[in-house]
Amino acid sequence: MKRIKLIIMLFLALLTVTSFAQTTSNSKKFMLGVFGGLNIPRLSGGSNNEMTSGYSSRSGAAFGLTSNLDLGSNFSLRMDLLYSSEGGKRDGLQAIDGHAFNPQVPEGTYLYANFKNESILNYLELPVLIKYSIPVKASKFYINVGPYGGYLLKAKQKTSGTSIVYADKTEIQPVSPEPVSFNATTNTKSSIHNMSFGITGGVGYSQQIGKDMLTLDVRGATA
């Protein structure tokens, strides 16, 4: 299952106070700060796997620590330590594991029901980005790109609602005589890889205010 996400981070105003310090050996600027923002992730799976397709975006928190080391010539090295709440949601008619619903149903068979389904994946991520800035007086426009690694902290599936279970998408062939409750929370961490890797990058704008920096950062990522 692939994860695609858009992260919008506000440094300082919503999420960070950032300060600069000069290194004594090479006089390059080093920045250390905290941040937070909005994560808009989406899960996507193979087109032939109805259990992992059809997810829409669910908003989650993204916050952590950020650092920036000046490399000269408007380039810098940026590293973040990021808590990221990801996942996706599906509402309405969707596939369920027919064998899990009824052991007499052959494995690999899909059944269908109407309910709410939310997949919540919480990661600790470490992006390492090369950043190029275009200074304009006390402001900077920048782009950055690089790899990141993530460790899965928690994963759960939350479902809710009641529905007749059907053998087909057209809801013509019911297989349950009465509506079935789908109210449940399931720990799914054991079924998902603990480590993930991907590419992330985006654009941003920074405005220096005294010794601090106000930054708006918009970033996309895929894993």
Side-chain angles (χ1 to χ4, degrees):
M1 181 178 290
K2 296 181 179 179
R3 297 167 17 246
I4 303 172
K5 58 188 177 181
L6 173 68
I7 304 176
I8 302 174
M9 293 177 285
L10 296 177
F11 294 77
L12 186 63
L14 180 58
L15 33 124
T16 180
V17 175
T18 307
S19 61
F20 286 83
Q22 295 286 344
T23 59
T24 57
S25 59
N26 56 15
S27 298
K28 291 182 178 179
K29 290 182 179 180
F30 175 77
M31 180 192 77
L32 180 64
V34 295
F35 65 87
L38 180 65
N39 189 358
I40 309 175
R42 182 177 179 181
L43 295 177
S44 64
S47 58
N48 295 325
N49 189 341
E50 295 187 55
M51 297 289 294
T52 59
S53 62
Y55 279 96
S56 61
S57 298
R58 66 171 289 272
S59 299
F63 59 87
L65 300 174
T66 184
S67 65
N68 192 87
L69 176 63
D70 181 17
L71 300 178
S73 300
N74 295 329
F75 284 95
S76 60
L77 177 66
R78 175 176 174 178
M79 295 181 62
D80 299 337
L81 184 61
L82 171 69
Y83 171 88
S84 178
S85 181
E86 306 176 13
K89 60 183 181 181
R90 295 184 297 185
D91 295 337
L93 187 69
Q94 55 195 282
I96 63 173
D97 186 336
H99 184 73
F101 175 75
N102 183 349
Q104 295 182 355
V105 175
E107 292 187 8
T109 300
Y110 295 138
L111 299 178
Y112 301 89
N114 286 281
F115 61 98
K116 293 183 178 181
N117 186 350
E118 185 176 21
S119 178
I120 302 172
L121 310 174
N122 296 332
Y123 283 86
L124 185 66
E125 296 180 343
L126 180 66
V128 180
L129 310 172
I130 292 296
K131 178 178 174 181
Y132 179 76
S133 301
I134 303 172
V136 181
K137 296 183 180 180
S139 304
K140 287 184 179 180
F141 295 92
Y142 65 83
I143 59 175
N144 48 204
V145 65
Y148 76 92
Y151 177 76
L152 181 64
L153 299 173
K154 188 176 182 180
K156 61 182 179 180
Q157 201 83 16
K158 294 180 65 176
T159 57
S160 61
T162 59
S163 173
I164 295 288
V165 178
Y166 300 93
D168 61 323
K169 292 182 180 180
T170 59
E171 303 177 70
I172 295 177
Q173 305 175 50
V175 296
S176 64
E178 297 180 353
V180 175
S181 174
F182 286 89
N183 296 329
T185 299
T186 305
N187 187 341
T188 57
K189 190 173 187 295
S190 61
S191 63
I192 301 174
H193 293 299
N194 286 336
M195 300 299 297
S196 66
F197 301 92
I199 299 295
T200 184
V203 297
Y205 169 80
S206 297
Q207 174 68 47
Q208 189 161 352
I209 303 175
K211 294 183 179 180
D212 298 325
M213 188 71 73
L214 171 66
T215 300
L216 172 64
D217 188 276
V218 180
R219 190 187 307 171
T222 182

